[in-house]
Amino acid sequence: MGKRSKLYKAQLGKFDKATQYQLAEAVKVLKELPQPKFDQTVELSFKLGVDPKQTDQTVRGALPLPKGTGKTVKVCVIADDDTRRKEALDAGADFAGYEDIIGKIKEGWVDFDVLIATPSAMSQVRPLGRQLGPKGLMPNPKTGTVTDKVAHAVSEAKAGRVEFRADKGACVQVPVGKLSFKAEDITENCIAVVKAIIKAKPASAKGVYLQSCTLSATMTPGIKVDARTMAKELA
């Protein structure tokens, strides 16, 4: 393990790393830690009781954070008809097109954070997997980014929509806002994420689903959250 910075050591001295805090208390502790001079991203991390190797135990989804993400989101829409493209631009999309956008992506352009596509355009979007897949930008019906309701999808993305997906180790990390947010706003975003994770529980998953939960910011240690109590209260 690398040598810890003075800031990290100072932060560790402000709370008990072994204690499992209630969510609101964990947020309070996080906000009171010594901080660097930039607005850190706050993240919830989970260890889930699922087997990602089983196709029926995939955990994936998306949700709009009630208090937003605190960042500006660039949204691109690929639609094969003028009406949907106009709807997208009217809703605030930064880019909207069809063959022109597809051509630019093939050449390596990915200057956007969210890509939304209509179902009828997906036959042309799927071959872009090499460019979009590694960056997590491929549209997917499960995350609401393959839809004919492009205006709604754009509005959600702009308002603060986040996606989540369990990795090979059954872990999920989800951004829940910025540390400059009010404590109650971070807590509200966290509650929305936890509810979405619980709702995404596969029917075939057995045993304890939310095995652990940790709250952290970009440059802080993780603060343990009492996952089991939280799961009972929010289920």
Side-chain angles (χ1 to χ4, degrees):
M1 181 178 292
K3 192 174 181 180
R4 296 297 190 185
S5 68
K6 290 182 180 180
L7 174 62
Y8 192 91
K9 290 177 180 178
Q11 292 169 335
L12 280 177
K14 296 295 184 179
F15 70 99
D16 183 355
K17 195 165 173 59
T19 297
Q20 292 191 351
Y21 295 86
Q22 298 302 307
L23 178 59
E25 188 179 4
V27 172
K28 181 181 178 182
V29 170
L30 184 67
K31 286 186 68 66
E32 291 176 348
L33 295 181
Q35 305 297 341
K37 295 180 180 180
F38 69 94
D39 194 6
Q40 301 176 83
T41 296
V42 180
E43 186 175 79
L44 268 185
S45 300
F46 303 87
K47 173 66 175 179
L48 303 180
V50 298
D51 182 359
K53 294 180 181 179
Q54 306 300 319
T55 56
D56 62 347
Q57 292 196 31
T58 299
V59 176
R60 184 173 188 177
L63 72 151
L65 294 179
K67 298 301 180 179
T69 62
K71 63 176 286 188
T72 301
V73 180
K74 285 187 180 181
V75 179
C76 180
V77 174
I78 296 179
D80 55 357
D81 67 270
D82 293 336
T83 300
R84 294 285 186 269
R85 291 193 290 270
K86 185 177 184 306
E87 289 176 357
L89 292 171
D90 288 345
D94 298 272
F95 314 100
Y98 184 43
E99 294 179 346
D100 54 335
I101 297 290
I102 290 171
K104 289 174 67 176
I105 293 174
K106 285 181 179 178
E107 294 173 358
W109 177 78
V110 285
D111 186 23
F112 48 84
D113 303 298
V114 177
L115 179 62
I116 298 166
T118 57
S120 56
M122 280 304 294
S123 61
Q124 299 300 314
V125 176
R126 289 189 189 96
L128 302 175
R130 181 179 297 179
Q131 292 84 3
L132 300 173
K135 297 182 180 296
L137 294 171
M138 178 62 78
N140 189 298
K142 291 184 178 180
T143 59
T145 48
V146 177
T147 177
D148 279 320
K149 298 178 180 179
V150 293
H152 177 73
V154 169
S155 296
E156 279 201 344
K158 284 288 188 178
R161 183 175 172 278
V162 294
E163 299 182 8
F164 60 85
R165 184 175 186 176
D167 62 19
K168 293 180 180 179
C171 297
V172 178
Q173 293 83 36
V174 191
V176 292
K178 293 291 186 178
L179 200 56
S180 59
F181 284 16
K182 295 179 181 177
E184 54 267 34
D185 290 347
I186 295 175
T187 301
E188 187 174 343
N189 279 351
C190 288
I191 289 172
V193 168
V194 174
K195 286 182 176 180
I197 295 287
I198 293 173
K199 186 177 180 181
K201 178 183 178 181
S204 58
K206 306 299 181 183
V208 178
Y209 178 55
L210 286 186
Q211 295 189 345
S212 67
C213 178
T214 303
L215 181 73
S216 64
T218 307
M219 294 183 66
T220 73
I223 300 168
K224 293 181 180 179
V225 178
D226 185 351
R228 298 194 181 190
T229 298
M230 185 169 57
K232 290 179 181 178
E233 293 176 347
L234 300 178

